[in-house]
Amino acid sequence: AAAAAAAAAAAVAEVSWAPLASLEALSEGDKIRYRLLLVDAWRGRQKRSSLREAIVTRLQHDAQSQGDGGRGLQVVLRQADGAMDCLEASRLLDVSVASRAGSR
């Protein structure tokens, strides 16, 4: 069990993060880090979420809005605990994509 935990920790250590150049570059299966702008209804303001990590599980393009910076691109993101975020890609902030050593 200890060897498996060490191997898992080593695999995580090999992941490097690169800023995403364009939201149109997202692909299903990408592991990303991102933030969201959340509404704090009690205080009447918005705040940035903590950094989240998720896998892109679904992308849906609106054919009429290609090349518009992510507007019209819907994305479903699955977090490690099973929670899902489904939103317009243009709502993602500070997006970085994981790449393993020797890939991408």
Side-chain angles (χ1 to χ4, degrees), residues 28-47:
E28 289 182 10
D30 282 347
K31 182 174 184 177
I32 65 170
R33 280 186 177 169
Y34 63 100
R35 295 181 193 277
L36 298 173
L37 196 57
L38 303 174
V39 175
D40 181 346
W42 294 107
R43 295 190 176 109
R45 61 180 179 211
Q46 296 178 333
K47 67 175 199 158

Side-chain angles (χ1 to χ4, degrees), residues 44-81:
R45 61 180 179 211
Q46 296 178 333
K47 67 175 199 158
R48 286 178 174 249
S49 70
S50 59
L51 200 56
R52 300 174 180 206
E53 286 186 19
I55 303 293
V56 177
T57 58
R58 177 106 165 113
L59 293 169
Q60 183 162 339
H61 296 272
D62 179 352
Q64 298 174 344
S65 60
Q66 294 287 327
D68 64 355
R71 293 197 187 285
L73 172 61
Q74 302 296 317
V75 61
V76 178
L77 304 167
R78 181 179 40 84
Q79 298 168 8
D81 65 0

